[in-house]
Amino acid sequence: MRKRIHLLFGVGILMLAGCSSNDYPSEEAVKNGDIVTTPERHNLDRFETFLTLVGQQKQDTIRITGYTTEGDAILEDITYDGKRFTYSLDSSRDEYGSQTDDRNKEICQNLEQQTTDGGNTFTLTGCKEGQDHEIFKSNPGELKK
């Protein structure tokens, strides 16, 4: 009987540990208004609003949240001040992520859109640290713009 209780207790602890690894679940990200790109896509209209405001040279901030196959969140924050973009990457929630690649408030000059049969790709270019940042890919017909 005692072994059975210890076994159940151990399994319970493991289940709780597994659940606590994802400290920013996609349901919370959707509720917060994040543009969620994986595993399912949510709040794409928010990205369209961002594009409209950028086109009007009006300030706006978005968060794009994607999830690894393990369910860990990777966050990209993009702020547009009417002239340029500020990009931050946070992969601290990714168990296998590299902290050395995280960007904090990197300045980028442009948001470029490339359209193909496979959809649209949006990339921040002219970034201070020299690396472009692909921030969003849409499927064909997914965006109205």
Side-chain angles (χ1 to χ4, degrees), residues 70-123:
E70 297 82 21
D72 298 331
I74 298 176
L75 313 174
E76 294 177 284
D77 293 316
I78 299 113
T79 299
Y80 180 66
D81 68 5
K83 295 181 182 180
R84 60 188 184 169
F85 300 87
T86 304
Y87 174 82
S88 294
L89 172 68
D90 176 6
S91 64
S92 64
R93 293 166 178 84
D94 181 7
E95 183 178 356
Y96 301 106
S98 170
Q99 299 303 310
T100 59
D101 281 345
D102 283 7
R103 305 279 186 221
N104 188 26
K105 299 186 179 182
E106 180 179 11
I107 303 299
C108 300
Q109 299 303 318
N110 306 302
L111 176 61
E112 295 182 4
Q113 176 181 350
Q114 181 181 14
T115 303
T116 65
D117 291 341
N120 297 300
T121 301
F122 296 87
T123 306

Side-chain angles (χ1 to χ4, degrees), residues 9-23:
F9 183 74
V11 169
I13 294 293
L14 287 174
M15 288 177 64
L16 285 174
C19 292
S20 67
S21 68
N22 188 356
D23 63 349

Side-chain angles (χ1 to χ4, degrees), residues 20-32:
S20 67
S21 68
N22 188 356
D23 63 349
Y24 194 56
S26 62
E27 297 81 12
E28 184 177 346
V30 170
K31 183 179 166 185
N32 289 340

Side-chain angles (χ1 to χ4, degrees), residues 53-67:
L53 292 172
V54 168
Q56 297 170 354
Q57 295 184 316
K58 293 184 179 177
Q59 298 177 355
D60 197 14
T61 299
I62 58 172
R63 170 171 281 173
I64 298 173
T65 303
Y67 291 86

